[in-house]
Amino acid sequence: MQIQKCRNNQKISENSVFLYVVPGEQKHSKEPSSLQCMHLAVVACGDRLEETLIMLKSAVLFSNRRLCFHIFAEDSLKPEFEKKLKEWPSSYTKKFEYNIYPITFSVGNAQEWKKLFKPCAAQRLFLPVILKDVDSLLYVDTDVLFLRPIDDIWHILKEFNSTQLAAMAPEHEIPKIGWYSRFARHPYYGTTGVNSGVMLMNLTRIRNTQFKNSMIPSGLTWEEMLYPLYQKYKNYITWGDQDLLNIIFYFNPECLYVFPCQWNYRPDHCMYGSNCKGAEEEGVSILHGNRGVYHDDKQPTFKALYEVIRDFPFEDNLFQSLYYPLQSKFLDTVHTLCGRIPQVFLKQIEKTMKKVYENRVIVYLGANHRY
C-alpha cells in the first residue's frame, strides 16, 4: 500500500485522504477535532533507524486519531525509512501520513549544531522555523515508547494557559539527586530542570513570541535567540539542546507547562527506588529508555518492553502476542529495582490494550449490523 506523505498546500488525487491543520491557535481551528492530524516529530541519525521505527510502531498501535509523522533523518536513512514503513500492513498504514526531511539548521554553523550532544539532536530546536505550516506537535527522542494513545498527551495542549507554548516533564523528582541541582553551570528551569525527550510544542505561539534572555534587554524571536544563546553558554552546557531549552525557560518560566513524570518515565524513576508517584498511581504512559538501556542489560525491564513491541506481529492479538510475553519477560527482571514494580509498567498498557480490543469489537459488530 502507498502511504501518503504530508504535502503542505499541494493538490492530491480525489481518492486520497489528506488532513491539514491550518496554522493558528489550536483551539480556534475550524476543522472538527475528530479530523485533525496529531503531529509527531522525531530526529534520527546514525544507528537510530530501528529505534525510531519501534517508537513509530508504538504510536500507531495504540493511537485513535490520525497521525502525521515528521521524520528528520540523514540522507542515507531516508530510503530505509520508506522501505520499512511500506512493509507495514494496510490496516496500520492508513492511520498515518509521513514526511522525511533532511537535517538542516537555519542559523549558525551547521557542523557545530550537528555535533551538539548527540548527532543531530539540536535539529529539534529548529522545528518552529522549518515546520511553518504546523500549529502544534509532539517531539520525542528515538528511544521513546508509547504505552497509551498519543491522543491523551495531545489533549494537554488544551490545558495550556495564554502564555504557555511548550510542555516537558521534570528532569528529576528529587532535587537532592538531580543532575541540574548538583552539577549545572548554567541557568535551568525550576528546582530540577526539565527533560526534553518528550516535548509538546505550540509552534504558532513559539514563532510569535518575543523571549526574554540574558543577552540583550529587549526580547528576541526563537530563531534570533538560538545561535547567540549557544555561543554564550557552549562552554558550560553538558546535555546540548536540552540545556539550551532549560536556559530559555529559566528566563521565560511563564511559557512552560510542566507535565508529570509518567509522561516521560526514565530509568532514574526506578533505578534508585520508585520516585514517580504519577506512574505508581496511573502506570507509565510514555517510556523513555535513555542511556541506551534498550540495548544493554543494565535495565532489563526497559529492554523487555522494547523487545516485545519490536517483535509484535502487527495483526496479532495484543494480549496473546504482546501483553502475555511482556509479563513473562518481567519475571526475569525481579532482581532489579525497576523489575520489582511491574505494575507500574503494565498498568497503563493493559488499560490501553483493553480499549483497543473493545473498539475493534464495536467496529466489527457495527459492520455486521449494517446488513
Side-chain angles (χ1 to χ4, degrees):
M1 176 180 178
Q2 181 66 40
I3 308 170
Q4 294 179 41
K5 297 184 181 181
C6 306
R7 301 185 185 277
N8 297 333
N9 297 327
Q10 292 185 17
K11 187 176 181 181
I12 298 180
S13 69
E14 61 182 3
N15 295 323
S16 299
V17 177
F18 177 71
L19 300 178
Y20 175 72
V21 179
V22 179
E25 295 293 350
Q26 187 175 2
K27 64 182 179 181
H28 296 308
S29 174
K30 295 180 180 179
E31 296 221 14
S33 59
S34 61
L35 297 179
Q36 288 179 11
C37 190
M38 298 182 295
H39 294 265
L40 177 65
V42 65
V43 179
C45 286
D47 60 355
R48 298 303 180 105
L49 173 68
E50 182 191 84
E51 236 180 39
T52 307
L53 288 167
I54 305 309
M55 179 276 292
L56 296 174
K57 182 179 182 180
S58 71
V60 172
L61 279 176
F62 301 130
S63 293
N64 299 312
R65 282 168 45 195
R66 194 168 181 81
L67 295 164
C68 255
F69 296 149
H70 301 274
I71 305 167
F72 291 80
E74 292 174 312
D75 293 341
S76 60
L77 293 179
K78 181 177 179 180
E80 291 298 315
F81 272 113
E82 292 178 335
K83 177 185 175 183
K84 294 294 184 181
L85 290 172
K86 288 176 182 177
E87 291 173 356
W88 290 7
S90 60
S91 57
Y92 286 93
T93 57
K94 69 183 181 182
K95 295 176 65 176
F96 68 90
E97 304 164 2
Y98 78 97
N99 207 351
I100 302 175
Y101 307 80
I103 302 297
T104 55
F105 305 98
S106 60
V107 295
N109 185 306
Q111 289 306 310
E112 276 190 287
W113 284 121
K114 192 168 184 178
K115 295 176 181 178
L116 183 63
F117 185 44
K118 292 181 180 179
C120 308
Q123 181 71 75
R124 142 253 306 273
L125 298 173
F126 294 86
L127 296 179
V129 180
I130 297 170
L131 302 176
K132 294 183 183 295
D133 293 327
V134 176
D135 175 70
S136 298
L137 63 74
L138 174 65
Y139 166 87
V140 296
D141 288 347
T142 61
D143 52 8
V144 156
L145 293 172
F146 294 95
L147 305 186
R148 67 188 290 180
I150 289 182
D151 310 60
D152 296 336
I153 190 170
W154 192 258
H155 184 75
I156 292 176
L157 287 165
K158 297 180 180 180
E159 298 177 15
F160 283 13
N161 64 25
S162 60
T163 63
Q164 290 166 338
L165 45 75
M168 289 181 276
E171 173 65 22
H172 288 278
E173 298 301 302
I174 304 172
K176 67 179 181 180
I177 65 171
W179 193 93
Y180 284 108
S181 53
R182 292 186 293 163
F183 305 118
R185 297 184 294 154
H186 58 79
Y188 57 89
Y189 179 87
T191 57
T192 62
V194 285
N195 184 282
S196 60
V198 179
M199 184 178 181
L200 271 174
M201 308 168 76
N202 184 315
L203 301 183
T204 300
R205 290 187 178 185
I206 290 174
R207 286 187 287 263
N208 294 336
T209 296
Q210 294 283 320
F211 291 88
K212 300 187 291 293
N213 61 87
S214 60
M215 295 165 290
I216 62 172
S218 59
L220 292 170
T221 66
W222 186 266
E223 188 174 18
E224 291 170 341
M225 174 177 55
L226 289 178
Y227 195 61
L229 191 73
Y230 167 68
Q231 287 296 314
K232 179 171 182 176
Y233 291 103
K234 66 180 181 180
N235 295 324
Y236 303 97
I237 59 178
T238 301
W239 308 113
D241 52 315
Q242 177 173 293
D243 290 347
L244 294 179
L245 289 167
N246 267 280
I247 295 167
I248 290 170
F249 291 111
Y250 169 84
F251 290 105
N252 301 270
E254 72 284 357
C255 294
L256 187 67
Y257 179 107
V258 179
F259 50 66
C261 50
Q262 65 264 32
W263 294 104
N264 185 351
Y265 191 90
R266 286 158 277 126
D268 284 346
H269 291 120
C270 56
M271 61 189 290
Y272 307 114
S274 183
N275 60 57
C276 177
K277 292 183 179 179
E280 291 171 5
E281 295 170 358
E282 299 181 17
V284 175
S285 296
I286 296 179
L287 193 76
H288 185 182
N290 62 348
R291 302 178 181 172
V293 295
Y294 297 147
H295 313 294
D296 60 31
D297 297 318
K298 294 179 180 177
Q299 297 297 334
T301 311
F302 283 74
K303 186 177 182 180
L305 269 157
Y306 177 82
E307 290 180 344
V308 167
I309 294 175
R310 179 195 66 194
D311 298 339
F312 172 72
F314 267 107
E315 310 218 64
D316 275 19
N317 181 282
L318 282 168
F319 279 97
Q320 290 181 350
S321 300
L322 197 154
Y323 187 72
Y324 297 143
L326 187 58
Q327 283 185 316
S328 179
K329 278 181 175 285
F330 275 7
L331 292 175
D332 298 326
T333 71
V334 294
H335 63 285
T336 67
L337 285 173
C338 294
R340 291 177 187 174
I341 49 172
Q343 70 281 0
V344 167
F345 296 90
L346 293 171
K347 185 179 295 185
Q348 192 58 237
I349 197 168
E350 180 182 11
K351 181 179 178 182
T352 297
M353 286 192 293
K354 284 181 178 178
K355 285 185 177 179
V356 171
Y357 176 76
E358 289 169 359
N359 288 341
R360 287 179 180 175
V361 170
I362 291 171
V363 169
Y364 177 77
L365 290 176
N368 283 344
H369 282 141
R370 292 176 188 170
Y371 304 100

